[in-house]
Amino acid sequence: MKIVRFIFFIGHIGIALLLAATLLNAYVPPKTFPWFNLLSLGFPVLMIAYILLTLFWIISWKKRAFVFLLFGLMFFKPIIRWINYTPQKNETPDLKIISFNAKYGFSGKNKIEKFVDDQNADVVLLQEYGTNKKYHFNGMKEGPQSYVITIFTKHKIVEHKQLIKSDYIYNNAYVSHTDIEIRGKMYRFINVYLQPFKFKKNMVKLNGNSEEDEQKVKDVVKRLIPTFKMHQEQIIAIRKSIDESPYPVILAGDFNSVPNSYEYYHLLEGLQDAFVEAGRGSGTSFHDYKFPIRIDYIFSSPSVKPLSYKVDRSVKLSDHFPVIATFKTEK
């Protein structure tokens, strides 16, 4: 039993160090050292293993349990970026936003239109909307289209600018900002679709053959690392739009990045994560793999207060669930 406990102890320390390394994504860019960003993908599994081992030490009545408990407090904030529970807020919202990767409307344009119409939102940001599909949402007008992203709103569009546009070969990201006047006040909405990883299920599904599985892991890493570095470049244009905005900002979309990643930390700077402020349950929004992946977000300036955040798991029109948030704006 002593040998088992010793192995568990060494493993626990190793997991703690790996978890701590994910915190370095706030400081170390992927171009300098991409492996910290890679670790952020495994945060849920690492955290579950850490908690189970901590429980083992508690049940075993070992003093080291208190050390691991105290160390684990470092990860409270990272945890609630994945799974959270906030009390219901009693204030009345005056702004409702939907962000949804529609997977090019393969599940049916009419179904997407019905879902959006039923929500009665103020602003809808779509990614992978399907350039050959013309959506019609009740009472909403569409902003200028791009190949992958578009925005709809009930309110007045004042200005629109494409920040990042795909070149179809190296870069497949799209980002735009749209300044919208809502009840006499201006807001900047930034619709984000960062560089996708372009994985298919068979590329990441292990089949038990050690040689084939090893090659698959290597191939996955070969795709991940360059994409992380591309994200670092793409964030620059987004940060410029946020930092230079004369209006409160709502940043939403498919970031193709998980919480605790370099992308998350640097896009969140100066903003607030609506899920962290007002979410309940799991933030997982991409459901095509049997693994918790949160890559769809709605961030806002401090003056735009999140009151609710929902990942609508009843809507299976894509490999992403739509995310819906309500806000209270400053008068």
Side-chain angles (χ1 to χ4, degrees), residues 57-80:
W57 299 125
I58 292 172
I59 293 169
S60 300
W61 288 96
K62 294 295 181 181
K63 292 180 181 178
R64 66 192 65 169
F66 296 102
V67 177
F68 285 115
L69 275 172
L70 289 172
F71 188 80
L73 294 176
M74 290 175 57
F75 307 110
F76 175 75
K77 236 182 168 178
I79 288 171
I80 64 173

PDB file of all heavy atoms in Angstrom, residues 57-80:
ATOM      1  N   TRP A  57      -6.566  11.332  -0.466  1.00  0.00           N
ATOM      2  CA  TRP A  57      -5.762  11.687   0.706  1.00  0.00           C
ATOM      3  C   TRP A  57      -6.641  12.044   1.900  1.00  0.00           C
ATOM      4  O   TRP A  57      -6.296  11.748   3.047  1.00  0.00           O
ATOM      5  CB  TRP A  57      -4.832  12.851   0.378  1.00  0.00           C
ATOM      6  CG  TRP A  57      -3.852  12.571  -0.721  1.00  0.00           C
ATOM      7  CD1 TRP A  57      -3.661  13.285  -1.863  1.00  0.00           C
ATOM      8  CD2 TRP A  57      -2.928  11.473  -0.786  1.00  0.00           C
ATOM      9  NE1 TRP A  57      -2.691  12.707  -2.641  1.00  0.00           N
ATOM     10  CE2 TRP A  57      -2.222  11.593  -2.006  1.00  0.00           C
ATOM     11  CE3 TRP A  57      -2.639  10.395   0.046  1.00  0.00           C
ATOM     12  CZ2 TRP A  57      -1.241  10.691  -2.399  1.00  0.00           C
ATOM     13  CZ3 TRP A  57      -1.676   9.481  -0.339  1.00  0.00           C
ATOM     14  CH2 TRP A  57      -0.987   9.633  -1.543  1.00  0.00           C
ATOM     15  N   ILE A  58      -7.792  12.648   1.630  1.00  0.00           N
ATOM     16  CA  ILE A  58      -8.716  12.979   2.723  1.00  0.00           C
ATOM     17  C   ILE A  58      -9.256  11.700   3.359  1.00  0.00           C
ATOM     18  O   ILE A  58      -9.282  11.555   4.594  1.00  0.00           O
ATOM     19  CB  ILE A  58      -9.881  13.861   2.195  1.00  0.00           C
ATOM     20  CG1 ILE A  58      -9.356  15.241   1.785  1.00  0.00           C
ATOM     21  CG2 ILE A  58     -10.972  14.005   3.261  1.00  0.00           C
ATOM     22  CD1 ILE A  58     -10.383  16.100   1.070  1.00  0.00           C
ATOM     23  N   ILE A  59      -9.683  10.763   2.529  1.00  0.00           N
ATOM     24  CA  ILE A  59     -10.211   9.486   3.030  1.00  0.00           C
ATOM     25  C   ILE A  59      -9.122   8.706   3.764  1.00  0.00           C
ATOM     26  O   ILE A  59      -9.391   8.018   4.767  1.00  0.00           O
ATOM     27  CB  ILE A  59     -10.778   8.649   1.862  1.00  0.00           C
ATOM     28  CG1 ILE A  59     -12.010   9.331   1.282  1.00  0.00           C
ATOM     29  CG2 ILE A  59     -11.127   7.230   2.315  1.00  0.00           C
ATOM     30  CD1 ILE A  59     -12.484   8.739  -0.031  1.00  0.00           C
ATOM     31  N   SER A  60      -7.885   8.849   3.310  1.00  0.00           N
ATOM     32  CA  SER A  60      -6.762   8.139   3.936  1.00  0.00           C
ATOM     33  C   SER A  60      -6.258   8.841   5.192  1.00  0.00           C
ATOM     34  O   SER A  60      -5.323   8.367   5.840  1.00  0.00           O
ATOM     35  CB  SER A  60      -5.603   8.019   2.930  1.00  0.00           C
ATOM     36  OG  SER A  60      -6.003   7.313   1.783  1.00  0.00           O
ATOM     37  N   TRP A  61      -6.846   9.984   5.527  1.00  0.00           N
ATOM     38  CA  TRP A  61      -6.458  10.765   6.699  1.00  0.00           C
ATOM     39  C   TRP A  61      -4.980  11.151   6.654  1.00  0.00           C
ATOM     40  O   TRP A  61      -4.247  11.006   7.636  1.00  0.00           O
ATOM     41  CB  TRP A  61      -6.770  10.004   8.004  1.00  0.00           C
ATOM     42  CG  TRP A  61      -8.239   9.933   8.302  1.00  0.00           C
ATOM     43  CD1 TRP A  61      -9.078   8.914   8.006  1.00  0.00           C
ATOM     44  CD2 TRP A  61      -9.034  10.941   8.935  1.00  0.00           C
ATOM     45  NE1 TRP A  61     -10.349   9.200   8.402  1.00  0.00           N
ATOM     46  CE2 TRP A  61     -10.357  10.437   8.989  1.00  0.00           C
ATOM     47  CE3 TRP A  61      -8.758  12.188   9.468  1.00  0.00           C
ATOM     48  CZ2 TRP A  61     -11.409  11.159   9.549  1.00  0.00           C
ATOM     49  CZ3 TRP A  61      -9.805  12.914  10.020  1.00  0.00           C
ATOM     50  CH2 TRP A  61     -11.101  12.406  10.064  1.00  0.00           C
ATOM     51  N   LYS A  62      -4.552  11.653   5.509  1.00  0.00           N
ATOM     52  CA  LYS A  62      -3.171  12.090   5.359  1.00  0.00           C
ATOM     53  C   LYS A  62      -3.094  13.615   5.418  1.00  0.00           C
ATOM     54  O   LYS A  62      -3.913  14.313   4.823  1.00  0.00           O
ATOM     55  CB  LYS A  62      -2.592  11.598   4.024  1.00  0.00           C
ATOM     56  CG  LYS A  62      -2.458  10.075   3.929  1.00  0.00           C
ATOM     57  CD  LYS A  62      -1.444   9.557   4.935  1.00  0.00           C
ATOM     58  CE  LYS A  62      -1.286   8.054   4.841  1.00  0.00           C
ATOM     59  NZ  LYS A  62      -0.330   7.528   5.829  1.00  0.00           N
ATOM     60  N   LYS A  63      -2.093  14.116   6.138  1.00  0.00           N
ATOM     61  CA  LYS A  63      -1.950  15.564   6.293  1.00  0.00           C
ATOM     62  C   LYS A  63      -1.736  16.261   4.956  1.00  0.00           C
ATOM     63  O   LYS A  63      -2.092  17.426   4.784  1.00  0.00           O
ATOM     64  CB  LYS A  63      -0.785  15.876   7.231  1.00  0.00           C
ATOM     65  CG  LYS A  63      -1.025  15.462   8.669  1.00  0.00           C
ATOM     66  CD  LYS A  63       0.169  15.795   9.545  1.00  0.00           C
ATOM     67  CE  LYS A  63      -0.065  15.367  10.984  1.00  0.00           C
ATOM     68  NZ  LYS A  63       1.112  15.633  11.850  1.00  0.00           N
ATOM     69  N   ARG A  64      -1.132  15.546   4.006  1.00  0.00           N
ATOM     70  CA  ARG A  64      -0.871  16.158   2.690  1.00  0.00           C
ATOM     71  C   ARG A  64      -2.169  16.580   2.004  1.00  0.00           C
ATOM     72  O   ARG A  64      -2.140  17.401   1.086  1.00  0.00           O
ATOM     73  CB  ARG A  64      -0.106  15.181   1.812  1.00  0.00           C
ATOM     74  CG  ARG A  64      -0.850  13.943   1.413  1.00  0.00           C
ATOM     75  CD  ARG A  64       0.025  12.877   0.792  1.00  0.00           C
ATOM     76  NE  ARG A  64       0.985  12.360   1.740  1.00  0.00           N
ATOM     77  CZ  ARG A  64       1.725  11.284   1.541  1.00  0.00           C
ATOM     78  NH1 ARG A  64       1.609  10.606   0.405  1.00  0.00           N
ATOM     79  NH2 ARG A  64       2.591  10.865   2.448  1.00  0.00           N
ATOM     80  N   ALA A  65      -3.309  16.027   2.451  1.00  0.00           N
ATOM     81  CA  ALA A  65      -4.597  16.414   1.863  1.00  0.00           C
ATOM     82  C   ALA A  65      -4.821  17.911   2.001  1.00  0.00           C
ATOM     83  O   ALA A  65      -5.331  18.556   1.081  1.00  0.00           O
ATOM     84  CB  ALA A  65      -5.730  15.643   2.531  1.00  0.00           C
ATOM     85  N   PHE A  66      -4.431  18.486   3.155  1.00  0.00           N
ATOM     86  CA  PHE A  66      -4.629  19.919   3.383  1.00  0.00           C
ATOM     87  C   PHE A  66      -3.743  20.749   2.460  1.00  0.00           C
ATOM     88  O   PHE A  66      -4.145  21.814   1.991  1.00  0.00           O
ATOM     89  CB  PHE A  66      -4.342  20.253   4.855  1.00  0.00           C
ATOM     90  CG  PHE A  66      -5.296  19.588   5.811  1.00  0.00           C
ATOM     91  CD1 PHE A  66      -4.922  18.455   6.516  1.00  0.00           C
ATOM     92  CD2 PHE A  66      -6.580  20.093   5.984  1.00  0.00           C
ATOM     93  CE1 PHE A  66      -5.803  17.834   7.389  1.00  0.00           C
ATOM     94  CE2 PHE A  66      -7.465  19.483   6.859  1.00  0.00           C
ATOM     95  CZ  PHE A  66      -7.077  18.353   7.560  1.00  0.00           C
ATOM     96  N   VAL A  67      -2.543  20.253   2.196  1.00  0.00           N
ATOM     97  CA  VAL A  67      -1.640  20.958   1.276  1.00  0.00           C
ATOM     98  C   VAL A  67      -2.240  20.988  -0.124  1.00  0.00           C
ATOM     99  O   VAL A  67      -2.286  22.033  -0.783  1.00  0.00           O
ATOM    100  CB  VAL A  67      -0.252  20.282   1.253  1.00  0.00           C
ATOM    101  CG1 VAL A  67       0.654  20.971   0.228  1.00  0.00           C
ATOM    102  CG2 VAL A  67       0.383  20.306   2.640  1.00  0.00           C
ATOM    103  N   PHE A  68      -2.740  19.834  -0.570  1.00  0.00           N
ATOM    104  CA  PHE A  68      -3.329  19.767  -1.906  1.00  0.00           C
ATOM    105  C   PHE A  68      -4.638  20.563  -1.977  1.00  0.00           C
ATOM    106  O   PHE A  68      -4.958  21.150  -3.017  1.00  0.00           O
ATOM    107  CB  PHE A  68      -3.565  18.315  -2.320  1.00  0.00           C
ATOM    108  CG  PHE A  68      -2.301  17.598  -2.705  1.00  0.00           C
ATOM    109  CD1 PHE A  68      -1.831  16.518  -1.962  1.00  0.00           C
ATOM    110  CD2 PHE A  68      -1.570  18.004  -3.817  1.00  0.00           C
ATOM    111  CE1 PHE A  68      -0.667  15.850  -2.333  1.00  0.00           C
ATOM    112  CE2 PHE A  68      -0.401  17.347  -4.189  1.00  0.00           C
ATOM    113  CZ  PHE A  68       0.057  16.275  -3.442  1.00  0.00           C
ATOM    114  N   LEU A  69      -5.390  20.587  -0.875  1.00  0.00           N
ATOM    115  CA  LEU A  69      -6.607  21.398  -0.845  1.00  0.00           C
ATOM    116  C   LEU A  69      -6.283  22.884  -1.001  1.00  0.00           C
ATOM    117  O   LEU A  69      -6.917  23.600  -1.783  1.00  0.00           O
ATOM    118  CB  LEU A  69      -7.364  21.168   0.467  1.00  0.00           C
ATOM    119  CG  LEU A  69      -8.310  19.969   0.526  1.00  0.00           C
ATOM    120  CD1 LEU A  69      -8.811  19.777   1.954  1.00  0.00           C
ATOM    121  CD2 LEU A  69      -9.491  20.162  -0.414  1.00  0.00           C
ATOM    122  N   LEU A  70      -5.298  23.346  -0.254  1.00  0.00           N
ATOM    123  CA  LEU A  70      -4.906  24.756  -0.333  1.00  0.00           C
ATOM    124  C   LEU A  70      -4.365  25.108  -1.717  1.00  0.00           C
ATOM    125  O   LEU A  70      -4.691  26.155  -2.278  1.00  0.00           O
ATOM    126  CB  LEU A  70      -3.861  25.065   0.746  1.00  0.00           C
ATOM    127  CG  LEU A  70      -4.369  25.082   2.189  1.00  0.00           C
ATOM    128  CD1 LEU A  70      -3.207  25.210   3.171  1.00  0.00           C
ATOM    129  CD2 LEU A  70      -5.345  26.239   2.391  1.00  0.00           C
ATOM    130  N   PHE A  71      -3.550  24.211  -2.255  1.00  0.00           N
ATOM    131  CA  PHE A  71      -2.997  24.453  -3.586  1.00  0.00           C
ATOM    132  C   PHE A  71      -4.119  24.482  -4.630  1.00  0.00           C
ATOM    133  O   PHE A  71      -4.088  25.266  -5.583  1.00  0.00           O
ATOM    134  CB  PHE A  71      -1.980  23.366  -3.941  1.00  0.00           C
ATOM    135  CG  PHE A  71      -1.227  23.630  -5.217  1.00  0.00           C
ATOM    136  CD1 PHE A  71      -0.155  24.513  -5.240  1.00  0.00           C
ATOM    137  CD2 PHE A  71      -1.604  23.011  -6.402  1.00  0.00           C
ATOM    138  CE1 PHE A  71       0.535  24.763  -6.415  1.00  0.00           C
ATOM    139  CE2 PHE A  71      -0.917  23.252  -7.585  1.00  0.00           C
ATOM    140  CZ  PHE A  71       0.163  24.132  -7.591  1.00  0.00           C
ATOM    141  N   GLY A  72      -5.123  23.632  -4.425  1.00  0.00           N
ATOM    142  CA  GLY A  72      -6.236  23.560  -5.369  1.00  0.00           C
ATOM    143  C   GLY A  72      -7.060  24.822  -5.441  1.00  0.00           C
ATOM    144  O   GLY A  72      -7.741  25.067  -6.445  1.00  0.00           O
ATOM    145  N   LEU A  73      -6.997  25.666  -4.386  1.00  0.00           N
ATOM    146  CA  LEU A  73      -7.734  26.937  -4.411  1.00  0.00           C
ATOM    147  C   LEU A  73      -7.260  27.853  -5.536  1.00  0.00           C
ATOM    148  O   LEU A  73      -8.001  28.733  -5.977  1.00  0.00           O
ATOM    149  CB  LEU A  73      -7.598  27.645  -3.056  1.00  0.00           C
ATOM    150  CG  LEU A  73      -8.266  26.946  -1.861  1.00  0.00           C
ATOM    151  CD1 LEU A  73      -7.974  27.708  -0.576  1.00  0.00           C
ATOM    152  CD2 LEU A  73      -9.774  26.825  -2.087  1.00  0.00           C
ATOM    153  N   MET A  74      -6.027  27.646  -5.992  1.00  0.00           N
ATOM    154  CA  MET A  74      -5.504  28.432  -7.115  1.00  0.00           C
ATOM    155  C   MET A  74      -6.350  28.262  -8.373  1.00  0.00           C
ATOM    156  O   MET A  74      -6.368  29.131  -9.248  1.00  0.00           O
ATOM    157  CB  MET A  74      -4.069  27.994  -7.455  1.00  0.00           C
ATOM    158  CG  MET A  74      -3.012  28.353  -6.447  1.00  0.00           C
ATOM    159  SD  MET A  74      -1.426  27.633  -6.942  1.00  0.00           S
ATOM    160  CE  MET A  74      -1.201  28.324  -8.586  1.00  0.00           C
ATOM    161  N   PHE A  75      -7.068  27.146  -8.441  1.00  0.00           N
ATOM    162  CA  PHE A  75      -7.767  26.806  -9.679  1.00  0.00           C
ATOM    163  C   PHE A  75      -9.271  27.034  -9.588  1.00  0.00           C
ATOM    164  O   PHE A  75     -10.028  26.593 -10.460  1.00  0.00           O
ATOM    165  CB  PHE A  75      -7.481  25.347 -10.042  1.00  0.00           C
ATOM    166  CG  PHE A  75      -6.011  25.041 -10.095  1.00  0.00           C
ATOM    167  CD1 PHE A  75      -5.424  24.235  -9.125  1.00  0.00           C
ATOM    168  CD2 PHE A  75      -5.200  25.598 -11.071  1.00  0.00           C
ATOM    169  CE1 PHE A  75      -4.069  23.972  -9.152  1.00  0.00           C
ATOM    170  CE2 PHE A  75      -3.844  25.338 -11.106  1.00  0.00           C
ATOM    171  CZ  PHE A  75      -3.269  24.527 -10.146  1.00  0.00           C
ATOM    172  N   PHE A  76      -9.690  27.755  -8.545  1.00  0.00           N
ATOM    173  CA  PHE A  76     -11.123  28.033  -8.419  1.00  0.00           C
ATOM    174  C   PHE A  76     -11.636  28.830  -9.614  1.00  0.00           C
ATOM    175  O   PHE A  76     -12.637  28.479 -10.246  1.00  0.00           O
ATOM    176  CB  PHE A  76     -11.415  28.793  -7.121  1.00  0.00           C
ATOM    177  CG  PHE A  76     -12.862  29.204  -6.992  1.00  0.00           C
ATOM    178  CD1 PHE A  76     -13.830  28.260  -6.680  1.00  0.00           C
ATOM    179  CD2 PHE A  76     -13.251  30.514  -7.214  1.00  0.00           C
ATOM    180  CE1 PHE A  76     -15.160  28.623  -6.573  1.00  0.00           C
ATOM    181  CE2 PHE A  76     -14.585  30.888  -7.116  1.00  0.00           C
ATOM    182  CZ  PHE A  76     -15.544  29.938  -6.783  1.00  0.00           C
ATOM    183  N   LYS A  77     -10.926  29.905  -9.948  1.00  0.00           N
ATOM    184  CA  LYS A  77     -11.363  30.734 -11.078  1.00  0.00           C
ATOM    185  C   LYS A  77     -11.277  29.985 -12.407  1.00  0.00           C
ATOM    186  O   LYS A  77     -12.212  30.029 -13.213  1.00  0.00           O
ATOM    187  CB  LYS A  77     -10.546  32.029 -11.136  1.00  0.00           C
ATOM    188  CG  LYS A  77     -11.412  33.267 -11.095  1.00  0.00           C
ATOM    189  CD  LYS A  77     -10.613  34.526 -11.207  1.00  0.00           C
ATOM    190  CE  LYS A  77     -11.572  35.677 -11.464  1.00  0.00           C
ATOM    191  NZ  LYS A  77     -10.882  36.967 -11.551  1.00  0.00           N
ATOM    192  N   PRO A  78     -10.168  29.281 -12.681  1.00  0.00           N
ATOM    193  CA  PRO A  78     -10.146  28.477 -13.904  1.00  0.00           C
ATOM    194  C   PRO A  78     -11.271  27.451 -13.996  1.00  0.00           C
ATOM    195  O   PRO A  78     -11.787  27.195 -15.084  1.00  0.00           O
ATOM    196  CB  PRO A  78      -8.777  27.792 -13.832  1.00  0.00           C
ATOM    197  CG  PRO A  78      -7.927  28.740 -13.067  1.00  0.00           C
ATOM    198  CD  PRO A  78      -8.840  29.322 -12.032  1.00  0.00           C
ATOM    199  N   ILE A  79     -11.679  26.869 -12.843  1.00  0.00           N
ATOM    200  CA  ILE A  79     -12.748  25.869 -12.864  1.00  0.00           C
ATOM    201  C   ILE A  79     -14.069  26.492 -13.285  1.00  0.00           C
ATOM    202  O   ILE A  79     -14.807  25.925 -14.108  1.00  0.00           O
ATOM    203  CB  ILE A  79     -12.884  25.192 -11.488  1.00  0.00           C
ATOM    204  CG1 ILE A  79     -11.709  24.248 -11.235  1.00  0.00           C
ATOM    205  CG2 ILE A  79     -14.196  24.407 -11.384  1.00  0.00           C
ATOM    206  CD1 ILE A  79     -11.655  23.696  -9.828  1.00  0.00           C
ATOM    207  N   ILE A  80     -14.396  27.689 -12.732  1.00  0.00           N
ATOM    208  CA  ILE A  80     -15.707  28.277 -13.031  1.00  0.00           C
ATOM    209  C   ILE A  80     -15.777  28.840 -14.447  1.00  0.00           C
ATOM    210  O   ILE A  80     -16.828  29.298 -14.869  1.00  0.00           O
ATOM    211  CB  ILE A  80     -16.102  29.351 -11.997  1.00  0.00           C
ATOM    212  CG1 ILE A  80     -15.144  30.546 -12.028  1.00  0.00           C
ATOM    213  CG2 ILE A  80     -16.192  28.750 -10.609  1.00  0.00           C
ATOM    214  CD1 ILE A  80     -15.593  31.693 -11.137  1.00  0.00           C
TER     215      ILE A  80
END
